[in-house]
Amino acid sequence: MKKIAVMGIAFASIFALAACGNSTKSGAATSYSYVYQTDPNTLDYTNSNRASTSDVIANLVDGLLENDKYGNLVPSLAKDWTVSKDGLTYTYKLRKDAKWYTSDGEEYAGVTAKDFVTGLKHAADSKSDALPIVQNSIKGLDAYVKGENKDFSTVGVKAVDDYTVQYTLNQPESFWNSKTTMGILFPINEEFLASAGKDFGAVKPSGILYNGAYLLKSFTSKSSIEYKKNDNYWDKENVKITDIKLTYYDGSDQESLVRNFSDGTYSQARLFPTSSSYASVKKQYKDNIVYSPQDATTFFYAFNYNRKAYNFTAKTTDVQKNSATAAMLNKDFRQAINFAFNRKAYGAQQNGEDGATKILRNSLVPPTFVQIGEKSFGSVVEGNLASYGDEWKDVKLDDAQDGLYNADKAKAEFAKAKEALQAQGVEFPIHLDLPVSQTNNVLVQQANSFKQSVEETLGKENVLIDVQQMSEENKDNVTYFAETAAQKDYDINLAGWGPDYQDPSTYLNIFDPEKGDMLQNIGLEPGQNADITEKLGLNEFKKLNEAADAEKQDTASRYTKYAAAQAWLTDSSVIIPVMSNGGNPTIRKTTPFTKAYSLVGIKGDTYVFKYMELQNDIVTAKDYEAAEKKWSKEKEKSNAEAQKDLAKHTK
């Protein structure tokens, strides 16, 4: 349930697998420097599930488990754990050497089991954005959150003793442990929480306590974030980088990244093949340009089906506003936009022609996120899609290719939509407002590419994409940081989602009409807007997801049913998948594949620096490819061994 700030697309993906294999060379730098693009609005890690918060917190606070460089879940604050035979009770034994520290590095208290109880209670009492991750998983939590039971001691989390914490679930979840790498299950010291009051989580070094690899040294909004190694950290031997400085970057000066890398200021740099200086950059670094693999974050265009705010719009009449809403509620119209979108041209604005397809994604759930027997999740979705109509025959959902752009299909779907909409009295052309930060050149270029392909395919007399360029602050306020659906000021907007745990539900549940985490991004409030929910068919989507979730034991059956839900979502075109993080050209001095890795949670995320190593020499493409090949082989073996070891935890 990680809500991703789109501003980060242009560079954040450089970190994906940024750091596997070689040791840090003797004398290599231990200070890391690069950029960030979105300020965190809180450090209250159990209350917020925005990536802008978790990107910071992942370095400062530990949970029960974390990820190693192969994506395996390994002990962190929990030195060991057991699972009951019925899969309902998870008992974690905590290490006794983990401590809480102030931002000055002074010891505050030991980390105890009670801190995990305090953390979850704080999340529940503050109605955390992240509650959907665990609300229906932990026994009694849903009733407590809804106010049906006001006694938190009845909730399925308890401190058995000072160093034993236990969770009781409503039903078995094979992916439960992966949830422990999310902030909502992280501990909070009760005494500090009480003393801080409403200031707990304030975006400043003293806003939280620390039990993780780093301390927050300083934060200046739209300027810099600095970390320093926690010298008293329980696992300090695995913290190779001592100082980290991230400088604010608004996307306007693309050449500044490689310029600062070349002069030794930055440890790595995202390259922009469409920039004016790229020819010389490519000549200089031709043997050092590498493309990182795609990750599990999916970016998609979201329609606003119930727009209320019109502070940034090209519309001049109520008829235009109502016509846009009516069009977006028409499935054939949405499909027409989906098929009219030339994703390869879009990708080229970020990666150039050579890397244009390397970032593309065609479904919300990545096609290889889970396996169903010998088949990938995506291939099973494709089989389901064919039953929805001829327009879906031969559609391929593999990553790194444009499987949906088809001008003929777009025109055919639009013809059906126009006939129905004209009968409703809709006025053409349909105006769709698309907001974008005016300082981010790549995102402006991509917005204009989307505009060009849709208008050329469907005709400007039919559809106009009105790109609304605005300040970054205004863009954030009407999209990412908007607190209600009514504050979302757009017709269509690029949004992002990163998975929380290893199950397709982590993606598909975000549009559940009762509790979906991303409903506000399509103009709806959870449990409200029944008329729009019905028109979109989200109740049918909910039933498909519930049927999948009801399957607790047979994983293949569960995933097959979720594939049916993804097929429905694809056909409905309620959202339009675009791209992933990763797949961008980069140069770097981060040693390949030393960094923690995971597709889910926050402990193997983009901005985690524990385990990462630096080297003196720039990484060559040849060395990177060799390291990736070696890592992939080792990962396959390591993951298989980790699966076998799961049995030893069952009691």
Side-chain angles (χ1 to χ4, degrees):
M1 192 174 93
K2 289 176 289 181
K3 301 175 184 177
I4 309 297
V6 174
M7 280 294 293
I9 294 177
F11 77 94
S13 51
I14 187 172
F15 290 102
L17 294 181
C20 216
N22 304 321
S23 300
T24 303
K25 296 182 179 179
S26 178
T30 57
S31 296
Y32 176 93
S33 178
Y34 196 44
V35 295
Y36 81 100
Q37 256 182 310
T38 305
D39 283 343
N41 67 334
T42 180
L43 295 184
D44 187 345
Y45 47 88
T46 69
N47 191 33
S48 172
N49 207 36
R50 286 190 171 98
S52 52
T53 294
S54 62
D55 287 344
V56 177
I57 288 299
N59 295 291
L60 311 179
V61 183
D62 283 352
L64 292 166
L65 304 177
E66 64 183 27
N67 299 101
D68 66 12
K69 68 179 182 179
Y70 302 116
N72 300 313
L73 286 167
V74 296
S76 184
L77 295 181
K79 62 181 181 180
D80 199 5
W81 70 93
T82 58
V83 187
S84 61
K85 287 184 179 180
D86 61 8
L88 296 179
T89 304
Y90 283 72
T91 304
Y92 300 89
K93 292 290 185 180
L94 304 183
R95 61 179 64 256
K96 296 181 180 180
D97 54 346
K99 309 290 184 182
W100 289 111
Y101 298 93
T102 68
S103 57
D104 294 323
E106 296 178 356
E107 184 177 330
Y108 187 93
V111 177
T112 67
K114 183 180 179 182
D115 298 336
F116 289 89
V117 178
T118 299
L120 186 60
K121 186 176 187 301
H122 174 65
D125 290 342
S126 57
K127 298 295 187 288
S128 167
D129 290 344
L131 276 172
I133 299 174
V134 296
Q135 187 167 333
N136 293 312
S137 299
I138 298 174
K139 186 176 180 180
L141 182 57
D142 183 59
Y144 181 82
V145 171
K146 291 178 178 176
E148 297 168 0
N149 182 356
K150 298 184 179 181
D151 182 2
F152 191 77
S153 67
T154 63
V155 175
V157 57
K158 67 177 180 178
V160 178
D161 57 42
D162 284 350
Y163 296 101
T164 307
V165 62
Q166 188 174 86
Y167 292 89
T168 302
L169 309 185
N170 288 316
Q171 63 280 319
E173 291 184 1
S174 60
F175 45 89
W176 166 259
N177 268 339
S178 64
K179 292 184 177 183
T180 68
T181 65
M182 294 300 295
I184 191 170
L185 291 179
F186 284 8
I188 295 177
N189 179 275
E190 184 177 44
E191 181 182 342
F192 182 82
L193 178 64
S195 64
K198 293 182 179 179
D199 286 336
F200 178 78
V203 188
K204 56 185 180 180
S206 61
I208 60 168
L209 289 179
Y210 305 78
N211 65 26
Y214 292 93
L215 307 175
L216 180 61
K217 183 178 178 181
S218 68
F219 167 74
T220 304
S221 179
K222 291 182 171 53
S223 178
S224 67
I225 300 174
E226 294 187 67
Y227 308 120
K228 61 180 178 180
K229 180 178 178 178
N230 180 357
D231 291 329
N232 297 309
Y233 180 50
W234 65 268
D235 196 24
K236 62 183 178 182
E237 290 76 12
N238 282 314
V239 184
K240 312 296 184 181
I241 299 173
T242 60
D243 296 279
I244 296 164
K245 181 175 182 179
L246 304 178
T247 303
Y248 180 74
Y249 170 70
D250 67 6
S252 60
D253 184 2
Q254 295 174 343
E255 285 79 8
S256 68
L257 302 184
V258 67
R259 187 169 63 246
N260 281 303
F261 176 85
S262 297
D263 69 16
T265 302
Y266 289 166
S267 304
Q268 57 191 56
R270 159 80 164 89
L271 303 180
F272 297 91
T274 59
S275 67
S276 59
S277 65
Y278 186 68
S280 61
V281 170
K282 187 175 182 180
K283 182 178 180 180
Q284 180 181 0
Y285 291 110
K286 61 181 179 179
D287 297 325
N288 306 105
I289 299 173
V290 300
Y291 286 86
S292 58
Q294 289 180 265
D295 75 3
T297 299
T298 298
F299 293 94
F300 51 87
Y301 275 117
F303 293 104
N304 186 344
Y305 298 105
N306 191 32
R307 185 176 180 183
K308 301 298 184 184
Y310 288 92
N311 296 311
F312 299 93
T313 184
K315 298 179 180 67
T316 57
T317 67
D318 287 341
V319 172
Q320 290 179 344
K321 295 174 183 177
N322 295 333
S323 293
T325 298
M328 289 184 287
L329 288 171
N330 182 288
K331 176 181 170 181
D332 294 321
F333 177 84
R334 299 193 302 269
Q335 286 187 344
I337 299 291
N338 205 354
F339 289 128
F341 178 20
N342 186 334
R343 291 164 176 79
K344 183 177 180 181
Y346 184 96
Q349 307 307 312
Q350 179 170 319
N351 269 13
E353 290 297 327
D354 291 345
T357 61
K358 292 183 183 293
I359 59 174
L360 300 186
R361 175 154 294 154
N362 299 283
S363 59
L364 179 60
V365 182
T368 58
F369 187 64
V370 294
Q371 284 287 119
I372 305 176
E374 297 298 315
K375 296 181 178 180
S376 69
F377 183 83
S379 65
V380 177
V381 175
E382 291 170 4
N384 279 282
L385 262 181
S387 68
Y388 279 95
D390 291 343
E391 67 268 29
W392 297 111
K393 288 182 179 178
D394 302 320
V395 166
K396 296 297 180 185
L397 299 177
D398 296 333
D399 276 345
Q401 54 93 35
D402 190 347
L404 297 171
Y405 174 58
N406 187 302
D408 291 337
K409 290 181 180 179
K411 291 173 182 176
E413 295 305 320
F414 187 81
K416 290 189 288 184
K418 189 169 186 177
E419 182 179 359
L421 291 170
Q422 283 180 324
Q424 295 176 225
V426 165
E427 177 181 288
F428 288 86
I430 302 299
H431 286 263
L432 299 178
D433 293 311
L434 169 60
V436 65
S437 172
Q438 62 195 14
T439 59
N440 194 306
N441 294 334
V442 169
L443 294 180
V444 170
Q445 291 164 0
Q446 288 178 323
N448 285 325
S449 176
F450 176 76
K451 170 183 173 70
Q452 181 178 354
S453 64
V454 170
E455 291 180 355
E456 284 186 355
T457 302
L458 301 180
K460 292 183 179 180
E461 71 279 11
N462 292 314
V463 181
L464 288 173
I465 305 297
D466 297 314
V467 177
Q468 299 292 325
Q469 293 193 41
M470 61 189 74
S471 70
E472 180 197 345
E473 183 178 6
N474 284 336
K475 168 65 164 56
D476 281 347
N477 287 339
V478 302
T479 58
Y480 187 59
F481 288 128
E483 295 292 338
T484 66
Q487 293 171 1
K488 303 284 185 179
D489 194 356
Y490 53 80
D491 293 309
I492 188 168
N493 176 57
L494 191 63
W497 185 261
D500 299 325
Y501 49 89
Q502 198 69 45
D503 188 73
S505 61
T506 190
Y507 292 94
L508 298 170
N509 282 347
I510 67 176
F511 294 113
D512 182 301
E514 295 299 320
K515 58 181 185 294
D517 304 292
M518 293 291 274
L519 282 176
Q520 289 182 345
N521 287 265
I522 59 173
L524 309 181
E525 293 290 353
Q528 302 178 29
N529 312 112
D531 55 336
I532 299 174
T533 294
E534 186 63 32
K535 288 177 182 178
L536 292 174
L538 288 177
N539 292 323
E540 180 182 350
F541 180 58
K542 178 180 174 65
K543 289 178 182 177
L544 290 170
N545 280 307
E546 287 176 339
D549 188 54
E551 182 54 73
K552 305 297 184 184
Q553 302 296 335
D554 187 337
T555 302
S557 176
R558 179 182 178 90
Y559 293 169
T560 298
K561 291 177 180 179
Y562 274 124
Q566 172 64 78
W568 183 95
L569 187 63
T570 299
D571 174 66
S572 75
S573 297
V574 166
I575 59 165
I576 298 177
V578 181
M579 59 188 285
S580 69
N581 266 335
N584 299 138
T586 64
I587 49 178
R588 62 190 72 201
K589 288 186 178 180
T590 53
T591 306
F593 304 92
T594 48
K595 178 183 178 296
Y597 165 76
S598 180
L599 294 177
V600 302
I602 71 172
K603 282 297 183 177
D605 213 345
T606 297
Y607 289 92
V608 178
F609 296 101
K610 182 180 176 180
Y611 300 112
M612 182 187 281
E613 299 179 14
L614 299 174
Q615 60 187 55
N616 288 318
D617 301 325
I618 186 172
V619 177
T620 67
K622 182 178 179 181
D623 286 346
Y624 185 90
E625 290 168 6
E628 184 176 15
K629 185 176 181 180
K630 179 175 181 288
W631 174 81
S632 295
K633 249 185 209 182
E634 292 173 349
K635 179 179 181 298
E636 184 176 357
K637 181 179 178 181
S638 180
N639 292 167
E641 290 175 351
Q643 281 297 113
K644 290 179 183 177
D645 287 344
L646 287 177
K648 74 180 184 182
H649 294 288
T650 303
K651 300 293 182 181

